[in-house]
Amino acid sequence: MERPAIAGGKPVRDTKLFYGHQYIDDADVKAVTDVLVSDYLTCGPKVTELEERLCKLTGAKYAVACSNGTAALHIAAMAAGVTEGDELITTPITFAASANCALYCGAKPVFADINPKTYNIDPDCVESKLTDKTKAVVAVDFTGQAAELKPLLEMCHEHGIVLIEDAAHSIGTQYDGKFVGSIADMTTFSFHPVKTVTGGEGGAVLTNSEELYRKLVLYRAHGITREADLLENPSHGGWYYEQIDLGYNYRMTDIQCALVISQLDKLEMFKKRRCEIVARYNEAFSKLPELFVQEEILESDTVRHLYILRIKPELLTIDRKGFFEALAAENICCNVHYIPVYWHPHYQRLGYEKGLCPNAEKLYEEMMSLPLYYSMTDKDVEDVIAAVEKLVAYYRK
C-alpha cells in the first residue's frame, strides 16, 4: 500500500495546487487598461453597461452594481425593510455576510438547518423558524447549486416575507430553466477572485421590482438622489441633489465593472470546464464508500463554484483535520467552507449556542473544498483524485 506523504511517502505532485484561482486573459487586461485611460474611473458608463449585461444574462428587470457581495446583501436587507426588532432567516453553512446583513440592520439572524444531502437550506426547517417578526429569508446557493427556490418563494409570499437569494456562488446557474437572478425577490452576486467571474471585488443586486430597485440605488450611494420626482425641495439648478435617506458608499468602480464585463464573455467557457471537473470528481469519488458525494436537485443546472469532499469518519482511521493535513502534504491545498456562522465568537457572545443546526454541524466536521477552477489541467484533476484515493486506501478501516 502506498504510504501518504504525511507519513513519509512521496507526494502525488511536486507543486502546490490551491483550491481556487482567477483566470485573467489579454481581453481582461485590455478592458481594464481601456478604462484607466478613459474619462471615468468610477460613476461612469461601465457601471451602467455591467448592470445592463447582468439583466440580459439573467432576465432580471433591474440590476444595481455595488462594491462587493457583502454590500449587496446589506442593501438588499435594507430594501426588504429589515430593521430593529425583525428577524431574518438564513443558513449557517455560508460566509458570515449572509447573516451579518441582518445585524447591520439591527435585526436578529435566525438559523435554519440544511438538507444533509444537498447542503442547501431546508425549506421545511425555514418554515419551522417563521414568526411574526420574520421579515426576510436569505437562501444561499451553496457551492453554486440553486436553493429550492420554488417552495421558498411560495412560503415567503404566503407570509408576506421577502426572499433574498444569496447567489455569490451561482452566477450562470439555472433553476427550473430560469437563470438565477430573475427568480427571487432580490438576488445578490459576488465578484471576488475565487468566484466564477471576478472584478477583483464587486457585487450586484438584481430584482424585478421597480420599488425595490429605487431603494437599492439610493442605499448604494449615500441615500442621495438627483431624481426630480424624489426631491423634497425645489431644485436650485442642474447641480442640485438631496440626501433623502441614510445610505452608504457602496459604489463599484468602472475599472471593476470593465473586468466583470470581460469575464462574462467567458462565462460559458468557465461553466463548461467547471462542469467537466465536477463530473470527473463525482465519477471517481462515487466509487468510494468512505466518501459522500453532494446530491443535486433536478431543478438546478449548476455552475459549481466549490467542490465539497465529504468523508465518512466512521469508515476511516482519520478525521477531517487529519485528512485535510494529509492532502496538504500531497500538495493538494484545500479549504473549508464554512464554519457554521453561529460558532464564531461574535455570535457566541450574542447568545447563540452550538447544537442549533445538527445537519450543518455534522457537515462542517466532515467536509473540505477541493481545487476547482477553470485553468486546472486534466493532470491537476487526476492528481487531486489520486491523492484522495491514496489517503482513503491507506486510512480505510
Side-chain angles (χ1 to χ4, degrees):
M1 185 180 298
E2 189 176 3
R3 186 180 296 273
I6 202 168
K10 179 178 172 55
V12 297
R13 56 184 288 131
D14 297 327
T15 58
K16 293 184 182 300
L17 184 68
F18 295 95
Y19 91 94
H21 197 273
Q22 69 274 10
Y23 174 80
I24 302 294
D25 64 12
D26 291 344
D28 297 326
V29 174
K30 185 178 187 303
V32 170
T33 55
D34 284 350
V35 170
L36 290 174
V37 297
S38 73
D39 293 329
Y40 292 93
L41 297 184
T42 193
C43 299
K46 287 296 177 183
V47 179
T48 301
E49 184 180 344
L50 173 59
E51 292 171 342
E52 292 174 348
R53 183 70 178 273
L54 291 171
C55 288
K56 183 177 180 181
L57 168 67
T58 64
K61 291 183 179 179
Y62 306 101
V64 178
C66 50
S67 53
N68 51 61
T70 299
L73 283 164
H74 185 190
I75 62 174
M78 292 175 67
V82 177
T83 190
E84 189 171 354
D86 291 334
E87 294 178 350
L88 178 151
I89 300 172
T90 193
T91 170
I93 298 297
T94 185
F95 187 64
S98 307
N100 288 348
C101 64
L103 297 180
Y104 299 153
C105 297
K108 177 185 177 182
V110 174
F111 295 98
D113 211 348
I114 61 166
N115 180 318
K117 295 182 179 181
T118 67
Y119 312 155
N120 271 334
I121 197 166
D122 184 339
D124 290 336
C125 193
V126 172
E127 188 166 25
S128 73
K129 301 285 183 176
L130 294 176
T131 72
D132 58 2
K133 296 181 180 180
T134 307
K135 185 62 68 72
V137 171
V138 173
V140 178
D141 297 336
F142 180 58
T143 74
Q145 178 177 191
E148 295 181 61
L149 296 174
K150 184 177 179 180
L152 287 168
L153 264 175
E154 290 174 352
M155 180 194 317
C156 287
H157 291 174
E158 179 183 347
H159 293 276
I161 296 165
V162 176
L163 178 63
I164 301 169
E165 183 180 2
D166 181 345
H169 294 186
S170 61
I171 190 166
T173 290
Q174 294 183 55
Y175 176 86
D176 210 12
K178 297 179 68 176
F179 276 96
V180 161
S182 64
I183 304 167
D185 297 311
M186 286 178 280
T187 302
T188 64
F189 286 142
S190 168
F191 306 123
H192 184 275
V194 297
K195 302 301 194 300
T196 304
V197 300
T198 186
E201 278 285 3
V205 189
L206 279 65
T207 184
N208 291 322
S209 164
E210 182 179 2
E211 179 183 359
L212 291 172
Y213 168 70
R214 288 165 76 96
K215 291 178 180 178
L216 292 165
V217 170
L218 271 179
Y219 297 145
R220 171 182 65 182
H222 306 281
I224 286 174
T225 186
R226 297 176 183 271
E227 297 291 331
D229 61 331
L230 296 179
L231 298 178
E232 298 182 17
N233 298 297
S235 173
H236 301 168
W239 67 88
Y240 188 70
Y241 62 86
E242 292 179 346
Q243 181 183 341
I244 61 173
D245 210 330
L246 181 61
Y248 297 84
N249 183 4
Y250 283 164
R251 294 172 298 195
M252 190 174 176
T253 69
D254 281 56
I255 303 165
Q256 295 166 309
C257 289
L259 179 52
V260 177
I261 293 165
S262 180
Q263 289 264 297
L264 287 172
D265 290 337
K266 295 178 277 287
L267 180 56
E268 281 302 312
M269 182 176 80
F270 291 160
K271 174 181 179 177
K272 181 176 182 293
R273 182 56 180 158
R274 285 174 175 266
C275 287
E276 289 171 352
I277 296 169
V278 169
R280 179 68 187 104
Y281 280 164
N282 285 347
E283 177 189 25
F285 300 145
S286 62
K287 298 174 183 176
L288 300 174
E290 295 83 3
L291 304 178
F292 181 91
V293 174
Q294 180 184 4
E295 292 188 10
E296 188 163 314
I297 59 175
L298 292 175
E299 293 88 348
S300 185
D301 178 12
T302 301
V303 180
R304 192 71 67 87
H305 161 52
L306 296 173
Y307 189 90
I308 302 300
L309 177 73
R310 184 177 186 181
I311 65 169
K312 298 179 182 178
E314 68 275 12
L315 301 181
L316 297 166
T317 61
I318 192 170
D319 62 8
R320 189 273 307 277
K321 181 174 183 290
F323 207 103
F324 182 95
E325 292 172 350
L327 277 176
E330 302 291 340
N331 285 317
I332 307 299
C333 301
C334 300
N335 207 333
V336 174
H337 299 91
Y338 293 93
I339 301 167
V341 173
Y342 58 80
W343 280 24
H344 289 299
H346 181 72
Y347 278 82
Q348 295 281 294
R349 286 191 289 269
L350 291 175
Y352 294 85
E353 297 179 352
K354 293 183 178 181
L356 284 176
C357 298
N359 292 337
E361 295 182 23
K362 189 174 191 303
L363 174 64
Y364 168 65
E365 298 285 3
E366 299 173 353
M367 69 173 175
M368 63 207 82
S369 301
L370 293 181
L372 176 62
Y373 51 93
Y374 168 75
S375 56
M376 286 180 70
T377 66
D378 289 346
K379 174 68 163 55
D380 292 335
V381 175
E382 295 306 318
D383 284 347
V384 174
I385 293 169
V388 171
E389 290 176 340
K390 178 182 178 181
L391 297 182
V392 169
Y394 189 80
Y395 292 109
R396 180 178 285 134
K397 280 187 178 178

